[in-house]
Amino acid sequence: MAQPEGIIRWQTLSGEPITVGDVTITPQSQALIIRLPFGGLVWNRPVAVLVEHGGQTRRMPIIDITRVVQLGLLGLNLAFAIFLVLSTRRKTKRGVK
Amino acid sequence: MNGISEKFNHIAITTVKGQEQSMALMEKLLATAQPSAVYSAPVTSGDYTIITASEVSAGIGFGYGLGGGVGPKSSEGETTSEAEAQETQEQPSGFGGGGGGGGAAMARPVAVISVGPEGVQIQPIVDASKIALAFFTTLGGMVIMLSRMRRASRG
């Protein structure tokens, strides 16, 4: 197995191709590796599969809907917070004038 | 002094063994960074073959401690027995070492890849409980922020 070069490494790897009938699927994953002298962390997620059929290869992305919705809600919360701060500053400035 | 060095050597060897075990554990952890940890083996049922894709995360932490020291020689008057008197001809010493560690791993299914007569299809797996939790946390955060801002503008 290849050793990570640095403390933090972000890599995309392709797995062993799986052949089902006349279709060959190559899974791809993306991993974040943090290696420290006193431990480590690995986060690995599927990104896409390469589908080879009839001599043609197409990439089918794997979308993590749960993560997309979670990040969307987080973004909404941040946008709401920024909007509130800006609107309060405007009101304060108007009040001072 | 031979006794001291023997004790120290024993502790050092034990610590090195512990470190080697931790490194072996790190290698196992790094194995989860491979695509084989994320994609399951294909399962065939009838015309359909299914492969599950999961998000995998794992972490470990460990630590060691090693220490010791040599005390002052005790005087003859402080000894209580002959055996103890013989022992105190050498300087009293103490060495100790220890280690500990912990870890966690988590896997969550993200999608199902199915290969059938219709071709290859990717069906996402939605974790409704996680989404609901995130939604209510967001809603709660917004309500708290709004109420604080209102209070601040009134004050």
Side-chain angles (χ1 to χ4, degrees):
Chain A
M1 192 173 67
Q3 291 287 325
E5 287 157 7
I7 295 170
I8 299 172
R9 197 177 177 190
W10 185 254
Q11 61 184 21
T12 303
L13 291 172
S14 294
E16 288 291 316
I18 300 159
T19 305
V20 181
D22 54 350
V23 178
T24 303
I25 297 167
T26 309
Q28 285 184 330
S29 72
Q30 209 169 43
L32 171 71
I33 303 163
I34 301 170
R35 194 172 180 169
L36 300 166
F38 48 84
L41 180 85
V42 172
W43 178 52
N44 199 357
R45 70 184 188 97
V47 279
V49 285
L50 297 174
V51 181
E52 200 180 322
H53 180 64
Q56 286 187 330
T57 305
R58 64 188 170 114
R59 189 176 182 272
M60 294 178 80
I62 297 171
I63 299 160
D64 187 351
I65 290 178
T66 307
R67 187 53 46 83
V68 168
V69 173
Q70 279 180 326
L71 290 175
L73 286 168
L74 180 72
L76 188 72
N77 208 348
L78 286 173
F80 186 72
I82 291 164
F83 170 75
L84 272 184
V85 169
L86 290 176
S87 63
T88 312
R89 278 186 184 175
R90 276 181 193 171
K91 277 180 188 176
T92 315
K93 279 182 183 175
R94 279 177 194 169
V96 169
K97 284 176 183 177
Chain B
M1 290 297 280
N2 281 342
I4 297 169
S5 61
E6 274 175 25
K7 279 180 195 173
F8 186 79
N9 281 344
H10 175 71
I11 292 162
I13 288 165
T14 313
T15 308
V16 168
K17 276 182 185 173
Q19 281 180 339
E20 283 172 359
Q21 284 175 344
S22 303
M23 286 301 125
L25 205 61
M26 271 296 286
E27 292 304 317
K28 282 184 182 174
L29 177 79
L30 292 172
T32 57
Q34 298 301 309
S36 57
V38 167
Y39 295 94
S40 73
V43 177
T44 306
S45 177
D47 293 337
Y48 290 89
T49 300
I50 287 168
I51 301 160
T52 54
S54 309
E55 181 191 64
V56 178
S57 52
I60 59 163
F62 44 81
Y64 311 98
L66 180 67
V70 182
K73 277 185 180 177
S74 59
S75 60
E76 285 178 15
E78 287 175 356
T79 55
T80 52
S81 67
E82 284 181 19
E84 214 172 317
Q86 283 176 349
E87 279 178 16
T88 52
Q89 283 175 355
E90 285 184 8
Q91 275 189 304
S93 63
F95 289 93
M106 189 273 291
R108 181 175 60 87
V110 170
V112 172
I113 303 153
S114 66
V115 187
E118 300 92 12
V120 181
Q121 288 181 324
I122 295 173
Q123 290 156 352
I125 297 170
V126 181
D127 193 339
S129 59
K130 275 197 173 182
I131 289 172
L133 198 66
F135 175 75
F136 287 115
T137 306
T138 305
L139 200 67
M142 283 176 168
V143 169
I144 290 166
M145 275 191 287
L146 200 63
S147 64
R148 281 192 177 181
M149 286 292 182
R150 276 184 180 175
R151 271 185 206 167
S153 61
R154 278 177 194 168

